[in-house]
Amino acid sequence: LCTLKQALEEARKGHYALGAFNVNNMEQIQGIIAAAAETKSPVIIQASRGALKYTELNYLKHMILAAVELHPEIPVVLHLDHGDSLETAKTAISLGFTSVMIDASSKPYEENVRITKEVVEYAHAFGVSVEAELGTLGGIEEDVSGVVKLTDPKQATEFVAATGVDALAVAIGTSHGAYKFKSTPVLAIDLVETISKATEKPLVMHGSSSVPQEILADINKYGGKMPDAQGVPIPAIQNAIERGVCKVNVDTDSRMAMTATIRKIFTEQPGVFDPREYLGPAREATKQLVMSKMRDFGTAGHAGDYVPISLEEAKKTYYGL
């Protein structure tokens, strides 16, 4: 296991980004770690509050530990996505997460600072990294929703200094979910470079699934109903990476890859009832999708660049504790 701080500092030096892939079950974890092993990529496996609830906490923890045991050559960050309170962060840290996100971006600025600082002080005492968010994304993902409010560079600089966060999620016009845009997306890419230079922190891009149209077509062909779904084009993400984004969140795309595969099998092979016969191919579809992201984000080939330090070492090296 690796801390987010170490992984993103390496990415920043190497001018690439790590994909942060959300998981809810074993097949997703297997597909992601298999993709990382094949492309020799460090990886962030992240779980939302909903995922932790769905897996009763310990199932998820031990499945990810199994992935790490089977692939010790891959630096794996275990990250809490969209934590909403100090208590949620404490739960994740007690489970062995090496990184937590505290998302108080919907609160007034002063409250966001106060809550984030509280989580930073708690997490750093364990060597655990912290990501926070400033500005808000549109769309809906589980119980996270909002209207787009772009990140202000001056406020971002003040926020980082006041809280001591290790990474900052910025709002540049993306949205959560599969229905991000009604027309060709226009992102505030220049903001990324401005904020990156001002804060000198690794930046995070949420709402960054690209909604592959060939996968979307299969979902709709085999009985799904996802009309007009549209994501962030890969060139736009690569543009943001060049300017300072070091972590790219992907959830919708992997969900779609599994769904398209399972729908196709159920339609073409209605006699199938063994879960392995549809979850196995869905796992492979996840692997192929994640491999393509790792190549697109420039992560491929970087797994051997560094040796992850322990949380105890991180506590001393990064935070002087």
Side-chain angles (χ1 to χ4, degrees):
L1 288 169
C2 182
T3 66
L4 184 72
K5 183 173 178 67
Q6 183 182 11
L8 296 193
E9 283 189 353
E10 292 289 339
R12 199 160 187 257
K13 285 191 290 185
H15 304 288
Y16 63 89
L18 274 79
F21 302 96
N22 286 71
V23 295
N24 299 283
N25 66 8
M26 183 180 75
E27 285 76 18
Q28 287 179 307
I29 295 167
Q30 289 176 315
I32 291 164
I33 200 70
E38 189 157 328
T39 60
K40 297 180 172 57
S41 301
V43 66
I44 300 164
I45 298 179
Q46 60 185 26
S48 64
R49 301 190 308 279
L52 289 174
K53 183 180 179 181
Y54 179 77
T55 58
E56 300 178 74
L57 304 179
N58 285 339
Y59 281 112
L60 189 71
K61 168 187 172 180
H62 289 287
M63 286 189 290
I64 294 173
L65 288 178
V68 173
E69 287 174 10
L70 288 167
H71 293 281
E73 77 282 9
I74 302 298
V76 177
V77 178
L78 178 49
H79 179 72
L80 171 69
D81 188 27
H82 286 290
D84 63 341
S85 66
L86 176 60
E87 291 309 309
T88 306
K90 285 181 177 180
T91 298
I93 291 167
S94 73
L95 289 169
F97 279 54
T98 58
S99 174
V100 296
M101 179 194 183
I102 178 66
D103 182 5
S105 60
S106 62
K107 310 284 186 185
Y109 174 76
E110 292 77 12
E111 193 173 352
N112 190 356
V113 169
R114 179 186 62 77
I115 294 169
T116 300
K117 189 174 181 181
E118 196 175 39
V119 172
V120 166
E121 289 173 354
Y122 183 86
H124 283 182
F126 294 90
V128 171
S129 312
V130 180
E131 171 192 339
E133 184 171 331
L134 191 63
T136 54
L137 276 68
I140 298 174
E141 180 183 55
E142 292 189 355
D143 57 351
V144 178
S145 63
V147 177
V148 175
K149 179 185 176 186
L150 300 183
T151 305
D152 176 76
K154 183 175 181 292
Q155 198 173 62
T157 306
E158 294 169 355
F159 183 82
V160 166
T163 60
V165 293
D166 302 295
L168 183 66
V170 292
I172 59 170
T174 59
S175 297
H176 289 123
Y179 302 91
K180 302 181 188 299
F181 309 104
K182 293 181 179 177
S183 58
T184 304
V186 178
L187 303 180
I189 296 294
D190 290 346
L191 265 184
V192 175
E193 190 166 11
T194 303
I195 296 169
S196 177
K197 287 178 178 177
T199 62
E200 297 185 334
K201 289 287 181 182
L203 302 184
V204 182
M205 196 168 168
H206 283 236
S208 299
S209 283
S210 55
V211 186
Q213 292 302 295
E214 67 279 8
I215 295 176
L216 178 64
D218 272 353
I219 289 175
N220 291 330
K221 177 181 178 181
Y222 295 108
K225 290 183 179 179
M226 293 184 67
D228 307 319
Q230 190 174 349
V232 182
I234 291 295
I237 296 172
Q238 291 170 328
N239 200 354
I241 292 169
E242 289 173 8
R243 285 161 169 73
V245 164
C246 299
K247 174 177 180 274
V248 180
N249 284 17
V250 178
D251 187 6
T252 296
D253 287 354
S254 54
R255 293 182 185 192
M256 290 177 63
M258 292 193 85
T259 298
T261 302
I262 292 170
R263 281 191 173 280
K264 182 178 181 181
I265 290 169
F266 282 175
T267 300
E268 294 183 346
Q269 304 173 57
V272 166
F273 64 92
D274 183 340
R276 293 170 297 183
E277 293 186 37
Y278 52 87
L279 291 178
R283 176 179 61 192
E284 178 63 23
T286 300
K287 175 187 171 184
Q288 294 302 323
L289 176 110
V290 172
M291 283 174 62
S292 72
K293 301 289 184 186
M294 288 170 166
R295 294 185 181 115
D296 289 338
F297 301 163
T299 331
H302 287 287
D305 290 359
Y306 55 96
V307 177
I309 64 174
S310 68
L311 290 178
E312 195 61 35
E313 289 176 290
K315 188 167 73 169
K316 297 174 186 174
T317 303
Y318 297 138
Y319 313 124
L321 300 172

